[in-house]
Amino acid sequence: MTNETLIAPAENKKSANHMPYLLTVNEDGVFYTDDNDNRWICSKLEIKALVRDRASENWGRLLEFMDADGNLHTWAMPMEMLKGGGEELRGELLRLGLEIAPGIKPRNLLIEYITTAKPEARARCVTRTGWYDPVFVLPDRTIGDMGELIIYQSENQTRSYCHAGTLDEWRQQVGKLCAGNSRLILAVSCAFAAMLLHHAGMESGGIHLVGASSGGKTTALRVAASVFGLPQYVNRWRATTNGLEALAALHSDTLLVLDELAQVDPRETGEIAYMLANGSGKARANRTGAAKTRYEWRMLFLSAGEVSLSQHMLEVGKKARAGQEVRLVDVPADAGAGFGIFETLHQANTGAEFSQALLKATSQYYGTPAIVFLESITKSDNFLKLSQQIKQLRDEFLAENLPTNACGQVHRVCERFALIATAGELATSYGVPGWQPQEAKNAIVTCFQAWLEQRGGTGDQERINILSQVRSFLEAHGESRFTEWDSEESRTINRTGFKKTTVEGTQFYVLAEAFSKEICAGLDSRAAARILLAEGWLIAGEDGKTYRREYLPRIGRSRCYVLTEKVWEG
């Protein structure tokens, strides 16, 4: 055979690479040859390097081969895929296009070939995407230089990270069309911001675009996804918690894009929001009872849906906690210009026409913005000043846009918007999206103000939720479930309390059990009462207590909560 590589010399049965001498590799494939057999095992497969992580664990082999169309595949295969007979390994190789001979013996010989190969070259592996010292690792490439080969090694393969077209084509057909559209700039800037989380020292978190169907939300997600890859980069919320853990692990230091929040089980929505933002999956035990390695990540996630997180959870009677709403921030998708999510249509006649143009462009041009952005960041001059530059731009955004006396929750959300604005401005300075300076910052300010307005204030979300819930209950039931104080005959069904009207105004005397179980349903009733008292909505009892003991009509002396007309103020 021509161009044949003999794996080992006959006299020692094994070579310095510790490979059986009966195995040979040439352009036609890998062969097993002895006196009675010349067996083809698979198409040409080369083991280029031994791979291991920083702790000298997670060993693997760097495999390289061509598929039937002549496309080169380079894959860092974890050695743990050889467990259990290697079925998982063979399945993945077949999926990638390696041709493998049928039969038990060729399959076993393939495993032997990979297992016993000991090439001299070494490579360092990482098991998740993102920053590894001064380099950024993606499934198909490593950007930056640290003096040794760094590659991505994982059992979970993804083809979503890829590119087509040039940066200039993406900039002209996608990036520049985002100009003048605050939600599109928000979406694209989220993609750049995800790659800055590590250097900003910030936690994971999400942005959720909320609005009616056919308003352009999915288009915004596709535009954001085009920074990294194919339209298939957009995933669905419709998945199990375990599935979303694995998905999140494939997007560490990048953007996870999720569409249609309403498709996830509302009973799990809040916990999933916590999990994604907290950066790790559940702790689990293996068959022996020892702890399994947990999925971990650091990322931003961009979501869209017709309902907000809190609305979706209410479908099953659950209330969103403030921590969940801070981790997944609801931004109204409607930009208020009459075109749904859009504000500027750039020569298009309708929002639908503009949306179709963007969808077509993102299916043709994608992936290059992230590559160029990372190549710019990892240049030595830029990399050395990156952290300080991020801090300076973030601090400027906070100084200009964080409301005075804002609570800690608003501060955390403002910091996330500040990072997104910083990323958009950095990308602009590198010439990636084709925007004018300050355009990204101004768009993110618009989105932050929209979030702040729909939130209802700068105070703690728990306080806002409590005041809103009490007012809503009285608005709905102030006439039907409160008996008039001076009524001779009560016909109130399912009574909550009494209503007394005097020259000073109307007061609601709420029975104690009704206050805790109905008006404060899903809330800490004691904490709610303290907030109502501090707001002046409650009349204090003896010694400043939140409840009073009053003589109620036809009931007598009883514990109750007395709400004043201040409920309707503000």
Side-chain angles (χ1 to χ4, degrees), residues 12 22 36 65 137 150 153 174 212 216 247 251 294 318-319 408 424 447:
N12 293 325
L22 298 175
N36 301 314
F65 58 92
V137 180
I150 308 295
Q153 175 178 290
V174 181
L247 194 59
H251 292 83
R294 291 194 295 182
K318 300 184 73 172
K319 292 186 180 294
C447 295

Side-chain angles (χ1 to χ4, degrees), residues 11 15 58 79 221 230 240 303 317 326 376 418 425 474:
E11 61 270 23
S15 71
N58 289 306
M79 289 298 288
L221 298 188
L230 288 161
T240 64
S303 167
V326 166
S376 300
E425 290 300 323
L474 293 182

Side-chain angles (χ1 to χ4, degrees), residues 129-172:
T129 59
W131 290 102
Y132 183 89
D133 294 330
V135 302
F136 194 98
V137 180
L138 291 170
D140 64 336
R141 71 186 64 221
T142 298
I143 300 172
D145 182 23
M146 66 175 295
E148 67 174 327
L149 180 61
I150 308 295
I151 56 176
Y152 175 79
Q153 175 178 290
S154 176
E155 295 179 48
N156 300 315
Q157 297 296 299
T158 175
R159 308 300 295 177
S160 298
Y161 296 93
C162 52
H163 68 279
T166 65
L167 175 65
D168 187 60
E169 288 172 323
W170 181 89
R171 186 192 298 122
Q172 296 297 327

Side-chain angles (χ1 to χ4, degrees), residues 241-397:
T241 302
N242 292 351
L244 285 173
E245 284 184 23
L247 194 59
L250 290 172
H251 292 83
S252 186
D253 281 333
T254 64
L255 184 70
L256 174 62
V257 185
L258 297 168
D259 200 6
E260 298 299 345
L261 177 66
Q263 291 186 346
V264 73
D265 189 336
R267 292 168 296 185
E268 298 182 1
T269 308
E271 295 309 313
I272 290 174
Y274 268 136
M275 177 196 74
L276 292 177
N278 290 342
S280 64
K282 292 181 180 178
R284 296 180 176 87
N286 59 24
R287 287 178 297 179
T288 66
K292 281 185 176 181
T293 302
R294 291 194 295 182
Y295 286 120
E296 293 184 345
W297 55 84
R298 176 183 50 236
M299 67 173 185
L300 287 182
F301 52 105
L302 180 65
S303 167
E306 296 178 42
V307 295
S308 67
L309 175 70
S310 58
Q311 289 170 337
H312 193 43
M313 293 176 66
L314 277 175
E315 292 179 10
V316 290
K318 300 184 73 172
K319 292 186 180 294
R321 294 187 286 272
Q324 293 165 333
E325 293 183 328
V326 166
R327 285 165 172 81
L328 183 58
V329 177
D330 293 326
V331 174
D334 194 328
F339 306 118
I341 205 169
F342 310 119
E343 292 141 288
T344 306
L345 300 184
H346 295 281
Q347 310 302 318
N349 295 314
T350 65
E353 181 181 321
F354 183 57
S355 177
Q356 286 301 313
L358 284 171
L359 292 175
K360 180 179 179 181
T362 55
S363 66
Q364 295 175 315
Y365 315 113
Y366 48 80
T368 52
I371 295 171
V372 174
F373 183 69
L374 289 167
E375 287 175 344
S376 300
I377 286 176
T378 52
K379 288 180 180 178
S380 58
D381 291 344
N382 291 336
F383 191 78
L384 289 173
K385 63 184 180 182
L386 180 61
S387 295
Q388 183 59 37
Q389 197 171 13
I390 292 171
K391 183 180 185 305
Q392 180 182 341
L393 292 173
R394 279 175 53 204
D395 289 348
E396 289 176 2
F397 187 96

Side-chain angles (χ1 to χ4, degrees), residues 412-428:
R412 287 175 64 187
V413 173
C414 191
E415 281 190 323
R416 187 172 308 149
F417 279 102
L419 179 66
I420 295 169
T422 295
E425 290 300 323
L426 277 177
T428 299

